[in-house]
């Protein structure tokens, strides 16, 4: 499956429906052009995004799990590539609808309407019936298999006792001084990792070491709320990437899906493997964070005598090393690069934490590099935590891709 997707890779790809319409227009009169087939993968991608955006879980990894279950089920239902387009459309819609209905029941009315819209376009008959049944069956089986996997919001944020104060050791950060969050991720069951610590990072630089001192000096100068060296563009970058990684990467993944000319099964696999990699990456991130309990820059700087130092953005309530935003970016980059190529036609991206700002990208790596810089310029991570995070994300994503057939069949 994955090899087929790689072979279909091209630098500029129109969505299949658009390409078919363009060809038809060159060989037939306008009144004879058949209607382009609706891209059901893109349709249900949007339904998934809207459903989670409107009524998803409060924890990011739980929402990544929802994406992963729905789209792995769809990819499994579509693994027989010889099936008709009607079967494929019904199977994909059935798998994602069943998953979302089970995990986001508050959106039942909207989900049922979306399914009806898809099925109304498919002729009644065996292809529709068997496709829908196959999608639902795969979703039901995977939901049952993932029951109790520890990725529910309560388990993700299980209580974490604050460690005793010591140089280099994480302590609650201002202004809320809240307890450590997402510590439960490291106890959850991954999709493909053998264990949460399979790719545990090496220890962070020791307090007082040259690397540690250089990291801290950079955050002190460039990440302060009142920094006099951070440029306007750097401040904008920090704000742009401050929000949820899952929200910020929804559009880049959609761009990749819309531009892919691969078979429907492989396009479903793209979405599935992206989110499987991100679930496992977030589990691995939590493992390294809570194994090393590295304190945040604000704690280190104030303990070192800069008692009034304040970061540009509020520091999240968990340890510094590694940066979760960077692990997410690294994993996303690795999956998108492997399955769609390193570069794409220009696409625009906006951010809910930088209203009015639009940025244009042509390569997935650009997003990772901006994430690494942004967390330093926000004053909430050291550069070492960011760079190591991106590497961890890439390693987990590579593991996901190597073991994709074990997951998808």
């Amino acid at each position: 499956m994955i090899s087929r997707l790689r072979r279909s890779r091209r630098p500029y790809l129109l969505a299949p429906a658009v390409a078919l319409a363009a060809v038809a227009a060159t060989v037939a009169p306008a009144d004879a052009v058949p209607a382009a087939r609706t891209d059901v993968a893109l349709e249900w991608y949007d339904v998934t995004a809207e459903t989670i955006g409107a009524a998803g879980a409060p924890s990011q990894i739980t929402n990544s799990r929802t994406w992963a279950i729905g789209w792995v089920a769809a990819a499994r239902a579509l693994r027989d590539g010889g099936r008709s387009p009607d079967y494929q459309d019904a199977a994909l819609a059935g798998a994602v609808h069943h998953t979302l209905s089970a995990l986001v029941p508050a959106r039942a009315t909207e989900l049922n309407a979306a399914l009806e819209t898809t099925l109304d376009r498919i002729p009644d008959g065996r292809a529709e019936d068997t496709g829908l049944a196959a999608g639902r069956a795969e979703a039901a089986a995977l939901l049952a298999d993932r029951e109790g996997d520890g990725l529910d919001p309560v388990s993700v944020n299980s209580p974490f006792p604050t460690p005793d104060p010591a140089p280099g050791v994480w302590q609650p950060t201002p202004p809320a001084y809240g307890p450590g969050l997402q510590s439960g991720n490291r106890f959850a069951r991954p999709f493909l990792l053998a264990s949460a610590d399979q790719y545990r990072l090496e220890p962070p630089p020791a307090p007082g070491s040259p690397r540690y001192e250089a990291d801290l000096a950079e955050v002190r100068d460039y990440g302060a709320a009142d920094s006099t060296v951070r440029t306007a563009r750097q401040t904008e970058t920090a704000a742009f990437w401050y929000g949820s990684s899952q929200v910020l990467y929804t559009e880049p993944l959609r761009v990749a899906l819309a531009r892919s000319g691969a078979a429907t099964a492989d396009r479903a696999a793209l979405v599935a493997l992206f989110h499987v990699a991100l679930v496992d990456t977030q589990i691995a991130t939590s493992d390294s964070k809570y194994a090393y309990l590295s304190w945040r820059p604000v704690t280190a700087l104030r303990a070192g005598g800069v008692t009034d130092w304040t970061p540009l953005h509020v520091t999240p309530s968990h340890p510094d090393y590694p940066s979760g935003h960077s692990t997410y970016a690294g994993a996303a980059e690795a999956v998108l690069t492997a399955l769609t190529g390193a570069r794409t036609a220009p696409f625009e991206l906006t951010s809910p934490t930088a209203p009015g700002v639009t940025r244009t990208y042509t390569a997935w790596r650009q997003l990772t590099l901006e994430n690494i810089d942004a967390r330093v310029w926000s004053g909430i991570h050291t550069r070492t935590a960011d760079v190591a995070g991106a590497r961890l994300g890439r390693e987990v994503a590579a593991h996901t891709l190597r073991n994709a057939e074990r997951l998808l069949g």
Side-chain angles (χ1 to χ4, degrees):
M1 177 179 293
I2 303 309
S3 61
R4 293 200 305 273
L5 186 54
R6 285 176 175 147
R7 286 198 298 271
S8 69
R9 193 167 67 207
R10 293 185 291 277
Y12 291 88
L13 287 171
L14 294 173
V18 176
L20 289 172
V23 172
T26 66
V27 299
D31 58 358
V33 176
R37 190 177 188 93
T38 298
D39 186 341
V40 171
L42 202 59
E43 179 179 49
W44 279 88
Y45 185 92
D46 291 342
V47 169
T48 309
E50 291 163 6
T51 299
I52 290 176
S59 52
Q60 177 173 274
I61 195 172
T62 307
N63 291 325
S64 295
R65 173 188 186 268
T66 299
W67 275 97
I69 291 175
W71 286 82
V72 168
R76 287 177 175 178
L78 294 166
R79 59 191 146 198
D80 181 356
R83 298 280 190 167
S84 71
D86 290 339
Y87 169 94
Q88 294 177 32
D89 287 355
L92 191 152
V96 180
H97 172 270
H98 188 89
T99 301
L100 294 175
S101 297
L103 299 179
V104 196
R107 297 286 289 180
T109 299
E110 293 83 358
L111 289 168
N112 291 338
L115 181 62
E116 185 176 354
T117 296
T118 300
L119 296 181
D120 281 349
R121 293 193 304 267
I122 303 174
D124 293 340
R126 179 173 176 79
E128 179 187 53
D129 293 342
T130 55
L132 187 62
R136 286 171 168 167
E138 292 289 359
L142 189 52
L143 284 164
D145 178 66
R146 296 301 303 183
E147 183 72 25
D149 60 9
L151 291 168
D152 58 284
V154 173
S155 299
V156 164
N157 285 311
S158 56
F160 177 75
T162 299
D164 294 333
V169 176
W170 179 83
Q171 293 293 298
T173 50
Y177 294 96
L181 300 178
Q182 300 172 21
S183 67
N185 286 358
R186 69 197 197 279
F187 302 124
R189 175 161 62 96
F191 277 86
L192 284 171
L193 289 179
S195 62
D197 64 355
Q198 185 172 355
Y199 293 96
R200 180 179 290 178
L201 292 167
E202 68 284 354
S209 66
R211 179 71 262 171
Y212 173 90
E213 295 296 341
D215 277 342
L216 206 56
E218 182 185 21
V219 181
R220 180 196 64 211
D221 295 343
Y222 284 87
D226 59 355
S227 172
T228 59
V229 296
R230 187 181 58 244
T231 66
R233 175 72 175 181
Q234 290 169 339
T235 301
E236 180 185 283
T237 300
F240 193 92
W241 292 103
Y242 185 60
S244 161
S245 292
Q246 183 206 299
V247 171
L248 287 162
Y249 272 87
T250 297
E251 181 60 20
L253 178 57
R254 188 187 191 280
V255 167
L257 180 67
R259 294 177 179 179
S260 172
T264 302
D266 291 332
R267 296 174 76 222
L270 167 64
V271 180
L273 293 172
F274 183 97
H275 283 284
V276 165
L278 268 304
V279 169
D280 283 6
T281 293
Q282 290 171 86
I283 291 172
T285 300
S286 179
D287 169 74
S288 283
K289 275 184 179 289
Y290 283 93
Y292 297 120
L293 290 173
S294 181
W295 62 4
R296 289 281 186 160
V298 63
T299 308
L301 287 166
R302 292 187 179 186
V306 194
T307 55
D308 61 348
W309 190 88
T310 301
L312 174 64
H313 292 124
V314 173
T315 300
S317 193
H318 40 73
D320 175 61
Y321 180 85
S323 159
H325 270 58
S326 294
T327 61
Y328 199 108
E333 175 199 334
V335 173
L336 292 172
T337 298
L339 301 186
T340 71
R343 301 185 66 82
T344 186
F347 69 93
E348 293 184 341
L349 189 61
T350 60
S351 167
T353 52
V357 176
T358 299
R359 293 197 163 187
T360 302
Y361 301 94
T362 57
W364 312 121
R365 188 173 183 83
Q366 292 171 329
L367 311 181
T368 305
L369 295 176
E370 286 196 5
N371 266 278
I372 289 172
D373 286 336
R375 307 309 271 178
V376 175
W377 298 334
S378 283
I380 57 182
H381 274 299
T382 60
R383 185 165 296 277
T384 293
D386 294 336
V387 172
R391 174 163 50 86
L392 175 60
R394 293 185 186 110
E395 289 174 346
V396 175
H399 179 92
T400 300
L401 295 170
R402 286 195 302 271
N403 291 275
E405 295 300 328
R406 179 160 65 87
L407 179 72
L408 302 180

